[in-house]
Amino acid sequence: MDSQRRVLTDGAVAIEGPKILAVGPHAEIEREYKGARRVSHPNSILIPGLINTHAHIPMSLLRGIADDKRLQDWLEKFIFPAEAANVTREFCYWGTMLGCLEMMLSGTTTYTDMYYFEEEIARATKLAGLRAVLGQTIIGFPVADAKTPTDSLARTEDFFKKFTNDPLITPAVAPHALYTNTRETLQNCRKLANQYNKPLIIHVSETKRENDDMIRQHGKSPVQVLNEWGIFDGLTVAAHVIWVDDADIATLARKKVGIAHCPSSNMKLASGIAPVLKQLAAGLHVGVGTDGPAGSNNDFHLIEEMDLAAKLAKVHAMDPEVLPAKTALEMATVHGAAILGMSDKIGSLEAGKLADMVFLRTDSPNVTPSFDPYSTIVYAAKAADVTDVYIHGELVVRASKPVRIKSAEILAQAHNYQKQIVLSLSKNK
Ligand SMILES: [Zn+2]
């Protein structure tokens, strides 16, 4: 995944501190660098760390709480009551730990979030050793960490200040959607993001109902309304972006809006099929995302999302040649980095970039034999084939085990939360 898309057999990477010094043939690197430590993985493919461009990480604790429901029923009858009764600082911390554990073990090195108490999410993420772009949610009703959007914006500004130059955390503002915020709130979010030079994360055109409602209310599609209000005037990550027409895609391309495509979520909630091929053809960067695990996915496995992104585009176009494996891997790496404004830092294995790298084993049955690495990575590999993960030059997963955090403690906490959540829902009835 370097700028020339080289595939090296018997390759090597030299790293120093958080950075990649060189990438090349093994013999060449061995000749030019005397490593203080050498690590050898002969039966592996080394890929850039995968980038999850849309998640709600603490919702890992609500995994599968209500499946096979309509989005509105799912939100109103299950998610909002469960969140109202359970989401606290500690919930966000432990939910993030669980999510980070799952993400790092499955090859994700950077993720993008939209939730509450993002400073707790940042704390847990740093302890786990992951990289993240964390969006403090702004929404037009009282939520766990704020009574009003004004309170949420004040929290966001504090969050920006606290993590302004953090090596792993990029704070962001995340107005939930056009239909859950006023014009004034959305514009204040944009202003704040630009003032601190941070990204804005928002759900856009996820459902047909959202589009129909906005057209009825404003006479225009969500993309056109957001554009007219200046919400795209700065780094923006738009999640889903399903119900868009050619004019919307042209607008998004002109404003260089990053797209987070979430195939599992879009299929499971029957939200629709995003016109990813048209978006890519228009020059948009399209990353992949898992969305939250409470009922719209239900895991954080990016290898699976790459696989589904390719297959969904093929069946949509009724053409197996579209969105090949290589493009799917590009979406989860270089495109992901681009939409987060981090192209100069992550997304590929190149000298000068940060050492976010994932080893996938090639000696398990499901990846043997391997004729083409792109095919192996996207269509055959599973999360369990991830063995070793480096983030910011540090080994955070060794032999499929986390290095910094303790699985047993995190899983025990998750079980405790499960009991508490069941109890809170029974009290609500
Ligand atoms: Zn979402």
Side-chain angles (χ1 to χ4, degrees):
M1 270 306 134
D2 64 2
S3 53
Q4 302 146 55
R5 302 292 186 268
R6 286 184 302 164
V7 175
L8 301 169
T9 40
D10 199 17
V13 178
I15 69 172
E16 183 174 46
K19 282 200 172 165
I20 296 174
L21 293 175
V23 180
H26 186 193
E28 188 185 306
I29 300 293
E30 197 75 76
R31 202 166 49 237
E32 283 172 31
Y33 295 91
K34 285 259 173 296
R37 263 187 66 221
R38 293 170 79 262
V39 178
S40 176
H41 290 270
N43 298 311
S44 291
I45 299 176
L46 181 68
I47 61 170
L50 301 175
I51 299 169
N52 186 343
T53 55
H54 187 64
H56 308 282
I57 196 167
M59 292 180 94
S60 61
L61 292 176
L62 302 170
R63 191 188 313 270
I65 192 169
D67 293 307
D68 313 323
K69 307 277 181 232
R70 294 193 183 283
L71 179 65
Q72 231 53 39
D73 278 357
W74 174 74
L75 277 173
E76 285 159 17
K77 291 188 187 149
F78 298 93
I79 299 303
F80 291 153
E83 286 186 335
N86 293 287
V87 176
T88 59
R89 277 180 181 284
E90 293 72 29
F91 177 99
C92 290
Y93 176 86
W94 285 109
T96 301
M97 277 296 183
L98 179 62
C100 284
L101 181 62
E102 183 187 356
M103 284 189 192
M104 62 165 65
L105 291 177
S106 55
T108 293
T109 55
T110 297
Y111 75 96
T112 314
D113 195 62
M114 177 196 280
Y115 210 62
Y116 310 107
F117 295 112
E118 287 290 337
E119 68 283 1
E120 288 299 312
I121 297 174
R123 188 163 72 90
T125 302
K126 279 172 73 71
L127 283 171
L130 260 81
R131 194 182 303 289
V133 176
L134 302 178
Q136 174 66 34
T137 297
I138 315 286
I139 198 161
F141 52 82
V143 287
D145 63 355
K147 289 209 163 53
T148 66
T150 310
D151 293 351
S152 298
L153 275 159
R155 285 187 64 89
T156 309
E157 188 162 9
D158 288 345
F159 181 49
F160 280 5
K161 286 179 184 160
K162 204 166 164 197
F163 290 91
T164 200
N165 284 316
D166 194 276
L168 292 174
I169 305 298
T170 303
V173 63
H176 171 265
L178 170 61
Y179 65 94
T180 47
N181 281 293
T182 63
R183 175 179 183 153
E184 192 193 356
T185 300
L186 287 162
Q187 287 175 334
N188 285 338
C189 289
R190 182 76 266 171
K191 218 162 89 190
L192 187 68
N194 288 2
Q195 191 189 333
Y196 286 85
N197 197 23
K198 301 296 177 205
L200 181 147
I201 301 166
I202 185 166
H203 294 109
V204 177
S205 286
E206 179 175 2
T207 63
K208 182 162 187 303
R209 179 176 153 184
E210 170 189 343
N211 257 46
D212 292 349
D213 286 353
M214 291 302 103
I215 290 169
R216 207 173 307 122
Q217 221 171 302
H218 302 284
K220 289 191 183 79
S221 71
V223 166
Q224 299 307 336
V225 176
L226 290 166
N227 184 47
E228 209 174 278
W229 293 354
I231 310 307
F232 298 145
D233 294 346
L235 186 61
T236 308
V237 181
H240 303 298
V241 197
I242 298 169
W243 295 92
V244 286
D245 61 17
D246 291 352
D248 290 336
I249 292 173
T251 300
L252 293 166
R254 204 171 54 246
K255 303 308 286 194
K256 297 188 164 60
V257 172
I259 313 288
H261 175 47
C262 306
S264 282
S265 170
N266 299 165
M267 286 193 273
K268 189 151 183 267
L269 295 170
S271 303
I273 305 178
V276 170
L277 296 171
K278 279 189 176 179
Q279 293 167 355
L280 288 168
L284 281 160
H285 287 295
V286 183
V288 284
T290 54
D291 210 351
S296 48
N297 192 317
N298 303 358
D299 58 45
F300 289 125
H301 292 177
L302 255 258
I303 294 176
E304 188 182 315
E305 296 305 318
M306 287 194 281
D307 182 43
L308 291 174
K311 289 171 183 170
L312 186 58
K314 292 175 197 303
V315 74
H316 191 206
M318 289 301 285
D319 181 353
E321 295 188 352
V322 303
L323 219 159
K326 187 174 169 185
T327 307
L329 184 62
E330 286 172 343
M331 288 168 70
T333 55
V334 282
H335 281 295
I339 81 170
L340 301 179
M342 298 170 96
S343 282
D344 57 332
K345 295 193 180 77
I346 56 170
S348 62
L349 301 179
E350 289 180 274
K353 287 207 180 181
L354 295 167
D356 289 6
M357 319 186 290
V358 171
F359 285 97
L360 286 169
R361 62 191 301 172
T362 52
D363 57 358
S364 53
N366 58 296
V367 288
T368 305
S370 172
F371 293 101
D372 172 72
Y374 292 114
S375 158
T376 301
I377 295 160
V378 173
Y379 299 134
K382 303 291 168 211
D385 294 314
V386 170
T387 59
D388 293 67
V389 178
Y390 287 79
I391 301 175
H392 211 69
E394 186 187 330
L395 182 65
V396 295
V397 175
R398 184 197 294 132
S400 304
K401 299 266 186 308
V403 174
R404 283 168 157 237
I405 50 179
K406 293 188 174 65
S407 289
E409 183 190 14
I410 296 167
L411 299 181
Q413 286 285 352
H415 287 302
N416 286 340
Y417 273 104
Q418 183 185 356
K419 285 180 206 144
Q420 183 187 312
I421 292 159
V422 170
L423 203 65
S424 78
L425 289 179
S426 67
K427 273 186 201 153
N428 259 358
K429 273 185 186 150

